[in-house]
Amino acid sequence: PKHRKAQACCVQMATCASTQVPGAMVLWLLVVGTLAIRVDSSLADAGVAGQLPPLGKQEHSDHRVIVRYSEMPPGDLDTTEIDKQIQKLKAHPNVVRAQSLPSLGMAVVSLDSAEAGEELMETLQHDSSVELVVPDTWVSAFDLFAGGDSPLDVTAEPNRRLRSQHALPVQCSAHAACRMRGLIGDCCPAKDGMMLSCCSSPGNDLVALQTYGGTYVSASPDGAISQIAGAPQDSEIFEIAFHEDSGVSFRSLYGKYLTADAQGVVRADRAVVTHHEKFEMVEDGNGTVYLKSSFGKYLGAEDLERITADRTNASLWERFRVQPQAVPGQRLPDDPAFSKLWGMHSYHGFDIDAPEAWQVWTGEIGKGITVAVIDTGIDYNHEDLSEQMWVNPMEIPGNGVDDDGNGYIDDVHGADFANEDGDPMDDQMHGTHCAGTIAGIGNNAVGVSGVAWRGVRLMALKFLTSTGSGRTSDAIRAMDYAVAHGARIASNSWGGGASSSALRTAMERAEAVGMLFAVAAGNEASNNDEVPSYPGNYDLSNIISVASTDSLGKLSSFSCYGNSTVHVAAPGSDIYSTVPKNGYKTLSGTSMAAPHVSGLAALVWMYRPQLSMQQVREIIIGSVRKLPALDGKVITGGLINAKDALEAAWAFDPPKPPAHAPQAIEFEDIDPRIGAYGGVVTITAAADESDIDYYRVYMVSGAGFQLEAVGEPIPATGEPELTMELNASFVPPMYARALVAVSGRASGEMPARLRGLAPHVDIEDYGLPILGPKSVSWIGDPDTKKDFVNGSLLVERATDEASITTYNVYWHAESGARGPMLGSIAAVGFLEPVCSGTSCGLINMNRADDGAYVFERRPYGGLEDAEIRASGPGSVELTYFDTEDYYDKLTIGDEELHGNLTCCLPTMELSDGRTAIKWSSDDSIHGAGWSFRLRQEGSTVELQIETSEVLGSGFEVVPAYEKNELMSGMIVVEISGGAGKSQSEAYRGGKRRLATSEPSWGRRIGGANIPASNDKVHPTSVHAKQQKEPWLLQSGLETRSSARVIWSAEQVQQLSPFAARHGRVRSSFMVTGLAEEACTKPAIRAAFVQALAKQLPGVEESDVRLVRALGASIEEARHATPQDQVGWVRVEFEIEPSEGAHIIDLDRIESQLILLSIGRRPAEKFGSALSLVLKASGLPHHLMASPLDVVFTAPQQLSPRMLAAAPLLASAAEHSGDRRLHGAASPLFV
């Protein structure tokens, strides 16, 4: 009857047997087989199918759900309500951690068991404030090995020179800088005004500098500068770059920049551009120019052997003629492994034309751009990547402090969401390999070259573990971090599992702030139009889904494709790139294709920084090279092309925001609730509104990047001041630090940045304490001197310090006025024991004379649950303990207690911070009960007052939150005669600001809408499997390929108006114990529909459509015995809600189907309900076993784009090779 416990015993015994005696494992499994005890898949550790979890006190699996709260308009979100919801989640007896994601209106909840997750989902379904609860899912990386296991020998030839090969530019003479260089044409400057460009070569040009005497400036490999007569050769060719500060730089083909020092010595030996390497170029009207150094001296060539920069005045010898150099149309880097990068350049021609693009632009002098690599991390010390790593400007490396207050210590190059720390070092290789393709340093004579040579800042966001697996909730947190810290592009070489509305919501938020996602299409060699692969299949306008090609221009044998769901293709077979520890490897997969797109997006965006995200996406998609092999396989039918993308970017007209910005913005929070912001935003209008239609307010992160909008746009009316009243409080995202006011018009909106033209105001939370100290007493030894005191002030902390940061101590005058401040006492997050849960009323709780809290439950009953929360330091001393082993347990911190412990009752120490003591029992065997004593330290704190002059009749202790304190506190009187008593006053509301000389910029303001906690949250995961042929995974493949169609719908139903707008949800379930013959009966199929409609939220029977039923293969049926007549069937179905339903209805259905696919109890309930319906339909007993065993596969939510692309009803032959309908997880897209 208690098969769950029998399973657990069997599992434990089998584990012990296999550990001690290898042969015993086989024997024990035979015994299990004889008893017909089935080990449920629900016992498997999350994400590692087939492995049994450890029992007893060993670490439990982390089961998570993602809670989506009801949507509210911006500015209407009530932080107090969300705070209450988070506290309710934390109070649930089986919740281990709960973390809010206020910017998404979501929360990630970790629980101690799968059953607890199911219970929480059932509970929250009836909560009107909850929009949706989504079970956490797993994803994986898409890559595989293809050789190249040894690190590359990167020793290069000394002073190797590869000429940069630009085509002869045809440029305009209407622009001064172009005339200086003797250029002609009419296409300069660029439309966005960011840099000079030309029709055939819109980037940096190769030039020679001819002196007044006819010689040419020449640079040697050691950096020496001389004059050479005759036609210019390699040493006389320089790359000229125009900078935004009007300076120009000259780079020799040895990779070094021309520089001049204070003594006038000119050399070419600098690797980077500083102000000393920039020269002022002055046109003299004769077709020649003067070059002035940063020290104000002119370059001259009067000395016929060298060039100097020591002339105060310009004469004939200081004139130079800038001569463009005509060379072929490619630029190749000097990286020794470049010949292995066929995807960049190959003799077959099926590459992305990178050298042709590099002659136009490499990113070396651009503003730079941040690319988030959401993956297994990056080896940020790699020789070919270290200079390209993003550096958190607000974090001090290695000091062990969270300097920027974002929740991660020393997150210098990103963060690790899988392990909850600030070190995203790659322990797998997948992320490092992707990073090398995006932005391996180009032309540095080391290793490989990325698509973008320089200028990219690689942000390492690790959420995949060393096994390649990760959680969806961790991916969501990585995206949140990327947005807050200014990433413009996200590279995503992972996927798999069910669709998740929580992940889609996060990507929609990133879309709102202009983040572009390059996403691998998958490695299953299947059609994503028919069987979706997420996240690439989300119908969002900021996604580019990428298929893989080989060196012959064919679709890679493993690559997923889709004529309406996969946008482009990129090289993905046998891609050579960086791996950890200065190594290099060849890998294959769509994981390798997606970084080519990420790198190209970075190259395009650096080339034209003013383009919008949508324009960059349109450029990449619209500039592909059409290939016959890709026709009908991807939307564009083509391979990305870097050269054509840059040419398209040149032709694009970028957004044109107003040139005038608002003059100022003011805001002061007046909402006393902690984490809630309310008040009036005041904007001082621009002095000139001729090009402004409206103003808008955004929140920005501490790093200075745009987050979410606050309120609605404010029309420009000509009034000098405009106001926006926030009647209801808003909740800032985790990283929000300031408000920025921008101007906008139909053609574009000014960017919201801290260090831009737009004004900003720091936001400070005006929160007031909810509670105050319980008591205050004075223990004084009257000073021998008159009017002086000496003693101690004892303060008993508030019962809950969640809303208190300090207790401030003042002198209190007899008149009632507040005198000078004596000092302050820091709050420590103290919490007196408090119980929550349905069984708290059954637990005896009292306070002993020695101050300890005594808790007792003797005896206890079934299905009890309670949670006692308190703060440490302290101890828990067990005084009695007898419960049913394994199933009735008391969990204290990480220690799980069960069984009879009367022989050896332990005492456990409580560490600093808040902790939880959880009690739960099942409905079967009961023990005698338990009791324990809880002691807390630090409930009372002493403030020593040295000999001080009496400045009042007593002391006043006032609780404060940051700089805000209550108007009144607790007053102590009668200090002059020795010991004094506390006199409690009612705490009066109101605001009193504390004097401060510095703004509290570094502190976290509104980072969460709940009190700070030491709890860590571990969100969902994804994983990257490394294997030779990831498209040949064995899970379910043989069964699927040989399954027989028992019944199939005759025709495809027309799409309803709702489905045409919002889509459908597809899934299937396998029933073991049901004869195939049953599925041929209409009444039985009607029973399937009825059972599904009852199980799924808001679904009517008319919304359910059965697609087909599959059974055992012909070979299996031929060898079946009479006892096997009752076998298995798999039923495929789709849910299409009725017209008028909201998109959230599809999300709820998807969420419930995810739960059915991963949870044991929901599937059991469905099986029981299905049995009853089948029996009621009159199904003969010999066609059905009892009970039925039902297993669901992960659902897929189909977008209208997919529905329009191909019929939903496909033949068995069309689906025979598609195993993902069986719920198999996709590997990392390598």
Side-chain angles (χ1 to χ4, degrees), residues 612-895:
S612 69
M613 179 270 291
Q614 290 295 341
Q615 287 179 318
V616 173
R617 180 176 183 264
E618 184 177 341
I619 286 167
I620 293 173
I621 292 176
S623 61
V624 299
R625 175 190 175 189
K626 302 284 186 179
L627 293 178
L630 299 177
D631 185 28
K633 297 297 184 182
V634 297
I635 295 172
T636 59
L639 180 72
I640 62 169
N641 188 280
K643 171 181 176 292
D644 292 346
L646 292 188
E647 289 183 357
W650 160 249
F652 253 77
D653 193 12
K656 294 183 174 62
H660 304 96
Q663 299 180 66
I665 179 174
E666 296 179 2
F667 173 75
E668 185 174 6
D669 179 27
I670 61 173
D671 193 320
R673 295 169 298 175
I674 294 173
Y677 290 78
V680 176
V681 178
T682 302
I683 298 174
T684 302
D688 182 351
E689 289 189 329
S690 59
D691 60 348
I692 299 175
D693 294 337
Y694 64 88
Y695 299 98
R696 193 167 189 129
V697 177
Y698 287 94
M699 289 175 278
V700 293
S701 66
F705 298 101
Q706 175 183 325
L707 297 175
E708 297 176 355
V710 177
E712 298 297 323
I714 305 172
T717 61
E719 295 293 327
E721 281 194 350
L722 303 165
T723 60
M724 176 174 60
E725 188 171 353
L726 302 175
N727 295 319
S729 297
F730 68 93
V731 181
M734 173 180 286
Y735 306 104
R737 296 293 185 274
L739 297 180
V740 170
V742 302
S743 56
R745 59 182 179 180
S747 61
E749 188 176 88
M750 181 177 291
R753 299 283 188 270
L754 278 185
R755 286 165 284 278
L757 295 176
H760 75 275
V761 59
D762 297 346
I763 54 175
E764 297 184 25
D765 187 7
Y766 164 45
L768 289 177
I770 299 172
L771 301 172
K774 290 180 66 177
S775 67
V776 180
S777 59
W778 166 252
I779 301 176
D781 180 15
D783 194 270
T784 56
K785 292 184 293 184
K786 184 179 179 181
D787 296 329
F788 282 82
V789 292
N790 190 332
S792 298
L793 193 66
L794 300 181
V795 178
E796 189 176 5
R797 296 183 181 276
T799 56
D800 186 349
E801 289 187 332
S803 63
I804 302 173
T805 56
T806 58
Y807 301 92
N808 297 325
V809 182
Y810 297 89
W811 283 103
H812 182 76
E814 292 182 358
S815 63
R818 184 173 295 172
M821 187 175 181
L822 273 165
S824 64
I825 301 169
V828 294
F830 181 80
L831 175 65
E832 277 193 1
V834 58
C835 185
S836 61
T838 58
S839 302
C840 286
L842 304 175
I843 299 174
N844 294 321
M845 297 177 281
N846 58 75
R847 190 83 179 263
D849 293 340
D850 62 356
Y853 296 88
V854 179
F855 296 86
E856 182 181 53
R857 180 67 180 126
R858 297 174 60 184
Y860 64 87
L863 299 177
E864 293 187 1
D865 68 86
E867 180 180 71
I868 301 165
R869 286 190 171 270
S871 63
S875 63
V876 175
E877 177 189 0
L878 248 59
T879 54
Y880 185 85
F881 200 89
D882 180 25
T883 68
E884 182 192 13
D885 209 6
Y886 296 117
Y887 295 96
D888 300 345
K889 54 192 175 184
L890 192 69
T891 304
I892 303 174
D894 294 330
E895 295 292 325

Side-chain angles (χ1 to χ4, degrees), residues 876-1153:
V876 175
E877 177 189 0
L878 248 59
T879 54
Y880 185 85
F881 200 89
D882 180 25
T883 68
E884 182 192 13
D885 209 6
Y886 296 117
Y887 295 96
D888 300 345
K889 54 192 175 184
L890 192 69
T891 304
I892 303 174
D894 294 330
E895 295 292 325
E896 195 174 86
L897 307 174
H898 48 81
N900 191 317
L901 304 179
T902 54
C903 66
C904 42
L905 294 168
T907 297
M908 283 156 288
E909 298 298 321
L910 298 180
S911 58
D912 292 350
R914 300 193 173 195
T915 190
I917 302 172
K918 300 180 181 181
W919 160 245
S920 63
S921 65
D922 70 359
D923 57 353
S924 57
I925 304 169
H926 302 147
W930 49 264
S931 62
F932 64 84
R933 292 166 58 87
L934 170 62
R935 297 178 182 272
Q936 287 184 295
E937 300 174 12
S939 61
T940 300
V941 62
E942 176 182 355
L943 177 65
Q944 183 68 39
I945 298 178
E946 303 294 341
T947 300
S948 301
E949 183 181 1
V950 176
L951 300 177
S953 60
F955 303 115
E956 184 177 359
V957 180
V958 184
Y961 174 75
E962 299 293 350
K963 295 188 294 184
N964 308 317
E965 58 183 14
L966 293 180
M967 293 298 293
S968 64
M970 183 167 285
I971 301 167
V972 175
V973 296
E974 302 176 3
I975 62 171
S976 59
K981 298 180 181 179
S982 62
Q983 174 183 312
S984 179
E985 285 192 1
Y987 289 104
R988 299 196 301 270
K991 173 180 177 180
R992 184 175 185 270
R993 303 290 287 184
L994 300 181
T996 180
S997 59
E998 296 181 5
S1000 55
W1001 172 252
R1003 68 183 178 91
R1004 179 172 171 179
I1005 302 175
N1009 59 344
I1010 57 176
S1013 170
N1014 291 331
D1015 294 344
K1016 290 185 177 180
V1017 176
H1018 302 280
T1020 328
S1021 340
V1022 228
H1023 71 273
K1025 294 183 179 177
Q1026 298 170 342
Q1027 51 198 30
K1028 293 184 178 179
E1029 295 180 326
W1031 60 94
L1032 294 180
L1033 293 175
Q1034 299 300 308
S1035 175
L1037 183 61
E1038 299 84 2
T1039 302
R1040 180 57 180 268
S1041 61
S1042 57
R1044 293 180 298 111
V1045 177
I1046 304 168
W1047 171 87
S1048 177
E1050 294 182 358
Q1051 60 182 5
V1052 182
Q1053 297 178 354
Q1054 289 291 99
L1055 295 180
S1056 71
F1058 171 78
R1061 291 193 307 272
H1062 298 295
R1064 297 175 174 173
V1065 180
R1066 171 193 290 170
S1067 186
S1068 67
F1069 61 87
M1070 179 179 289
V1071 184
T1072 302
L1074 186 66
E1076 297 177 1
E1077 178 186 342
C1079 294
T1080 63
K1081 302 179 182 296
I1084 303 306
R1085 298 196 297 274
F1088 291 154
V1089 171
Q1090 181 181 351
L1092 286 168
K1094 288 183 177 180
Q1095 182 70 34
L1096 301 176
V1099 172
E1100 304 291 339
E1101 292 185 23
S1102 59
D1103 301 334
V1104 181
R1105 186 170 73 89
L1106 302 184
V1107 176
R1108 62 180 180 172
L1110 303 176
S1113 66
I1114 297 175
E1115 186 68 17
E1116 290 171 330
R1118 182 181 298 121
H1119 293 90
T1121 65
Q1123 290 77 15
D1124 294 330
Q1125 182 180 4
V1126 178
W1128 62 267
V1129 295
R1130 184 172 66 254
V1131 179
E1132 298 178 353
F1133 63 91
E1134 291 171 352
I1135 307 297
E1136 178 194 332
S1138 57
E1139 183 177 357
H1142 193 272
I1143 186 63
I1144 188 63
D1145 296 309
L1146 279 176
D1147 290 345
R1148 290 194 179 103
I1149 294 165
E1150 173 197 83
S1151 178
Q1152 184 64 21
L1153 287 170

Side-chain angles (χ1 to χ4, degrees), residues 54 97 112 118 228 336 373 497 675 813 862 956 999:
R97 289 171 294 272
D112 57 12
E118 296 161 14
I228 300 295
V373 182
E956 184 177 359

Side-chain angles (χ1 to χ4, degrees), residues 77 99 192 205 207 273 297 338 402 430 508 611 784 822 838 845 1031 1082 1118 1137 1146 1178 1185:
L77 195 58
Q99 181 189 33
D192 55 15
D205 299 313
V207 298
V273 175
K297 300 300 179 65
F338 180 73
D402 180 14
H430 188 264
E508 285 171 344
L611 294 176
T784 56
L822 273 165
T838 58
M845 297 177 281
W1031 60 94
R1118 182 181 298 121
L1146 279 176

Side-chain angles (χ1 to χ4, degrees), residues 333 335 338 341 344 352 354 358 362 384-385 388 434-443 448-454 577 595-596 599-600 603:
D335 302 288
F338 180 73
L341 308 184
M344 306 287 183
I352 68 170
W358 292 333
T362 62
D384 228 3
L385 297 173
Q388 300 278 66
C434 294
T437 299
I438 297 169
I441 303 171
N443 211 41
V448 297
S449 173
V451 179
W453 284 7
R454 297 275 184 174
S577 187
H596 284 84
L600 179 55
L603 196 68

Side-chain angles (χ1 to χ4, degrees), residues 405-452:
N406 67 359
Y408 297 95
I409 295 173
D410 290 337
D411 54 324
V412 178
H413 300 301
D416 181 349
F417 302 93
N419 298 302
E420 293 287 344
D421 58 50
D423 184 6
M425 176 58 74
D426 189 359
D427 55 5
Q428 205 271 351
M429 96 165 68
H430 188 264
T432 302
H433 196 280
C434 294
T437 299
I438 297 169
I441 303 171
N443 211 41
N444 66 338
V446 174
V448 297
S449 173
V451 179

